[in-house]
Amino acid sequence: MQTLLVELLAGYLETPSTEIQVNTPLSEYGLDSVYALTVCADVEERLGLVLDPAIMWDYPTVDALSHAIVKIANSSAAPADGQSTQPQHPRNPRSLPTQDLLGEAVLPADITPTPDALPAASAPYRTALVTGATGFAGAFILRELLDRSTAQVFVLVRAQDADDAVRRVRENLTKYGLWRDDDHRRLVGVAGDLGLPDLGLSQTVYRELADQVEVIIHNGATVNFVLPYARLKSVNVLGTQEILRLACRGRIKPVHHVSSLGVIPERPGVQYFAEAELTDPADVLGGYRQTKWVSDRLVTLAGSRGLPVCIYRPGSITGAQATGVSPMDFVNALITGCTQLRSALEFDVDVLAVPVDFCGAAIVHIALSGTRHGSVFHLPGSRPLPWNELIGMVRDCGYPMRSAPYQQWHDELAAASGHALVPYLTLFDQDAPGAEIGVAGNEPHIATANIDAALMGSGIECRPVNREMVSSCLDYLVRLGHLTPPLTEPAALVRPRG
């Protein structure tokens, strides 16, 4: 079993199998949540087992995981160890009931600016702390911060030491074509962990950050639609608490928190959402979305206690409008899976697609201004993009797909194997997709007055997602090997005269 797991991990991580140690935490190899689930799905397919997706987190090394899988194979039963004892939402097994979620959104009493804390520094800032810099959006946020300021940037990363933290950030920026040769002069690695008390830092390092950092951009989170709330809480909720606590110590530090438009409820009909604080989590379903709702609410509560905060709620962060650089996230996995099946589900939902480079530029521009504290900013993209229109653009790029009613498409999905949606199968119920994906007939109207005012005159523009942009993103996924080349010639792109 260990040999099989090492083989799979080596393939996904593009690392020689001899370099994978069976007792080293998988997170130290940079194994993100999507690849972890894909490895889990491959084990299921090869061995004919049914595994709980959380097993990769319950048993975080090759040695522990292999023993757990052998035990499951011998008993022919799913593991009971580590299962959440929290009650589930009656309509979504990955969610908490509304009342329980409200109980989670309570800010500890000690998260308030201390009497001896120095006042917040004024812009331009000399130092900044960024979380989530080894992720997709985090790479673009960090790039913008380096380009738009002269600040020394502390990067909090799960790593062996400070040098390893910078190395991981460099590799991530290089992957997306964002690294510059002299970036290392401005970066300070901080080997820590959002999921641990005091961010997993020594008292000395913690105190240095509390005293030296002048502004925080908190983007770090575990983005995973499959895992339940309890599995995501430590990083997404408790990690946000730790960042807020740090911001209140030493010197008061403005916190710019990257939330999500996933915090708005999913229900049929027209809904209007202001750029305002969250109060009601009803119909916010799915573990990831619920952790983002709670963390969003915690930041608001910290603001009411005197901490300068801004909250940013982007929609589905998609490929860069300038280069087409894209993540292999759920939306792209869904598109890729449909191209592999040559069948696209009919689904009456809008995709709130926001290009990652626009998102990074907008957040950093506002954060560096040192103003607008206490504001919420929605970043839904230039317009709601109907799912069926998006699929039409993919077809025009040379990927023929028929449209199928959901239940027919679900049957085709369940019968197929080896496609990009294998890690996400639990999100597709027999009768309808899970609420994490969307609810048919939901028509959210997202207010953007705050973001529009903040970006006025900045030159930062969110271009509409069109066929050309979609083609650029698909070409990038092809170059990475995630997507096969088009089967037909792309439809001619008609450009306006002038």
Side-chain angles (χ1 to χ4, degrees):
M1 179 57 65
Q2 283 190 359
T3 302
L4 171 61
L5 290 175
V6 168
E7 172 193 332
L8 292 173
L9 290 168
Y12 284 115
L13 300 174
E14 299 181 354
T15 300
S17 59
T18 54
E19 295 185 8
I20 296 179
Q21 303 298 314
V22 297
N23 290 311
T24 298
L26 299 176
S27 61
E28 293 190 12
Y29 294 110
L31 190 72
D32 65 23
S33 56
V34 172
Y35 280 144
L37 288 170
T38 304
V39 171
C40 188
D42 280 351
V43 172
E44 288 183 318
E45 185 174 350
R46 293 198 186 194
L47 302 181
L49 299 175
V50 177
L51 303 178
D52 188 304
I55 192 172
M56 299 291 286
W57 283 262
D58 291 333
Y59 306 97
T61 67
V62 169
D63 181 63
L65 185 59
S66 63
H67 281 92
I69 293 175
V70 169
K71 183 177 179 181
I72 294 167
N74 290 338
S75 64
S76 299
D81 294 345
Q83 296 301 301
S84 170
T85 57
Q86 290 182 275
Q88 296 176 334
H89 193 285
R91 290 194 287 129
N92 188 289
R94 294 166 292 277
S95 305
L96 295 183
T98 299
Q99 284 303 120
D100 290 355
L101 202 58
L102 286 169
E104 292 283 304
V106 176
L107 191 67
D110 70 309
I111 300 181
T112 188
T114 57
D116 61 342
L118 295 174
S122 301
Y125 301 113
R126 295 168 298 175
T127 55
L129 171 67
V130 175
T131 67
T134 55
F136 179 61
F140 283 80
I141 289 172
L142 180 56
R143 179 73 267 151
E144 292 289 341
L145 185 57
L146 292 169
D147 289 346
R148 293 175 179 270
S149 78
T150 59
Q152 183 182 51
V153 183
F154 294 83
V155 284
L156 180 71
V157 178
R158 282 197 300 262
Q160 296 178 357
D161 52 36
D163 290 340
D164 188 45
V166 173
R167 177 192 62 79
R168 290 198 59 201
V169 169
R170 182 183 68 246
E171 290 179 352
N172 189 53
L173 266 65
T174 300
K175 178 170 64 175
Y176 299 118
L178 300 175
W179 179 258
R180 309 290 181 264
D181 288 340
D182 60 349
D183 286 342
H184 69 278
R185 302 179 186 275
R186 304 257 308 277
L187 296 177
V188 180
V190 181
D193 192 327
L194 283 172
L196 296 177
D198 294 335
L199 303 171
L201 305 175
S202 68
Q203 290 186 358
T204 300
V205 173
Y206 190 93
R207 174 51 61 182
E208 289 175 352
L209 286 182
D211 292 341
Q212 296 179 26
V213 170
E214 295 184 345
V215 64
I216 299 174
I217 299 180
H218 176 42
N219 173 68
T222 299
V223 182
N224 189 302
F225 292 154
V226 174
L227 293 178
Y229 179 92
R231 295 291 173 192
L232 301 171
K233 177 179 176 177
S234 63
V235 171
N236 296 3
V237 175
L238 301 182
T240 298
Q241 288 186 10
E242 291 299 333
I243 288 296
L244 294 171
R245 186 174 282 113
L246 175 68
C248 294
R249 304 292 184 265
R251 176 186 293 279
I252 295 173
K253 295 164 277 295
V255 174
H256 294 265
H257 173 65
V258 183
S259 181
S260 167
L261 281 175
V263 300
I264 66 177
E266 287 283 351
R267 58 174 74 103
V270 176
Q271 303 178 79
Y272 296 89
F273 296 98
E275 290 169 299
E277 68 175 282
L278 301 174
T279 56
D280 183 8
D283 294 319
V284 178
L285 301 179
Y288 172 71
R289 296 178 64 166
Q290 288 190 334
T291 58
K292 295 303 284 186
W293 189 95
V294 171
S295 60
D296 189 306
R297 179 67 184 155
L298 294 176
V299 174
T300 296
L301 293 174
S304 70
R305 296 181 184 178
L307 188 67
V309 299
C310 286
I311 296 173
Y312 305 84
R313 297 176 187 151
S316 178
I317 297 178
T318 55
Q321 56 191 12
T323 63
V325 170
S326 301
M328 194 54 186
D329 60 359
F330 173 74
V331 172
N332 279 332
L334 182 55
I335 292 172
T336 300
C338 288
T339 65
Q340 292 167 335
L341 295 172
R342 298 197 189 182
S343 175
L345 69 160
E346 297 173 354
F347 201 20
D348 179 22
V349 296
D350 290 333
V351 180
L352 302 178
V354 54
V356 66
D357 44 357
F358 164 77
C359 186
I363 291 171
V364 172
H365 170 76
I366 297 171
L368 291 178
S369 73
T371 61
R372 303 183 184 276
H373 297 143
S375 299
V376 174
F377 302 96
H378 287 166
L379 294 86
S382 63
R383 68 179 178 93
L385 180 62
W387 165 253
N388 294 332
E389 182 179 340
L390 175 58
I391 287 299
M393 294 180 188
V394 176
R395 287 194 187 99
D396 289 343
C397 291
Y399 293 92
M401 288 177 283
R402 65 186 183 282
S403 294
Y406 177 76
Q407 290 188 352
Q408 176 186 332
W409 181 85
H410 180 272
D411 291 342
E412 296 172 2
L413 179 71
S417 62
H419 52 74
L421 287 171
V422 169
Y424 301 103
L425 289 178
T426 57
L427 297 178
F428 296 97
D429 299 330
Q430 181 68 40
D431 298 327
E436 297 92 336
I437 301 172
V439 171
N442 182 27
E443 297 183 40
H445 290 246
I446 312 296
T448 59
N450 287 351
I451 191 70
D452 294 341
L455 297 183
M456 186 176 296
S458 68
I460 299 171
E461 178 187 9
C462 183
R463 301 202 298 268
V465 175
N466 54 23
R467 216 297 303 279
E468 187 174 23
M469 190 181 298
V470 170
S471 178
S472 177
C473 293
L474 294 177
D475 287 346
Y476 178 79
L477 295 178
V478 169
R479 291 197 299 273
L480 291 186
H482 293 312
L483 188 66
T484 59
L487 296 176
T488 63
E489 282 294 319
L493 181 64
V494 178
R495 300 180 184 274
R497 295 181 179 180

